[in-house]
Amino acid sequence: RLLAPTLATVEFLPRGGRLTVSAGGRQVVVYLAEKRCDLIAVLLQPPAPLAAGEYISDDVVLPRLWPGRVMSRVDLNTLLHRTRGDITQAGLPGAALVQRAPGGNATRFVLAPGATVRCA
């Protein structure tokens, strides 16, 4: 069972970034390669009027991850699979934290109500 994170922080590094997640009194840090970090950042800081924790449409996510390029759901699903794997290797439930909407076409990073989100 997943305790939804009360804190999610993304810190960008020269070649990727660090995701820090706090849930249930436990803090876990995950290193993510560049595109994987970008994906989490888009989910945690979507454009208005969307909010962190909501499902973000692929039509919003794809151009932010690959500006000026035409990429497909297959590319996004591959990136999601790898991102979830990194999160799982760090000891968190990757598939439960990074969820696809039923039927696809949108993704979210699960957060507790009122969670703090930071991207730097």
Side-chain angles (χ1 to χ4, degrees):
R1 186 184 134 151
L2 169 71
L3 286 175
T6 56
L7 170 70
T9 302
V10 174
E11 178 188 358
F12 292 99
L13 302 170
R15 291 195 175 132
R18 249 189 311 263
L19 168 66
T20 304
V21 176
S22 296
R26 181 173 165 226
Q27 184 171 323
V28 177
V29 177
V30 183
Y31 173 78
L32 298 169
E34 189 172 359
K35 278 293 175 216
R36 298 170 200 185
C37 186
D38 291 345
L39 169 63
I40 297 300
V42 168
L43 297 176
L44 291 177
Q45 288 195 319
L50 302 169
E54 294 179 354
Y55 282 106
I56 312 300
S57 167
D58 293 353
D59 294 335
V60 172
V61 173
L62 287 168
R64 290 184 174 272
L65 291 176
W66 292 284
R69 296 181 64 192
V70 178
M71 304 301 274
S72 70
R73 285 181 61 193
V74 172
D75 300 302
L76 180 56
N77 285 335
T78 300
L79 182 62
L80 284 166
H81 175 76
R82 292 177 178 162
T83 303
R84 287 170 169 168
D86 289 347
I87 292 170
T88 300
Q89 281 187 329
L92 294 169
L97 279 176
V98 182
Q99 296 179 347
R100 287 295 270 167
N105 296 321
T107 309
R108 72 176 176 168
F109 190 96
V110 174
L111 294 167
T116 300
V117 175
R118 287 184 233 139
C119 292

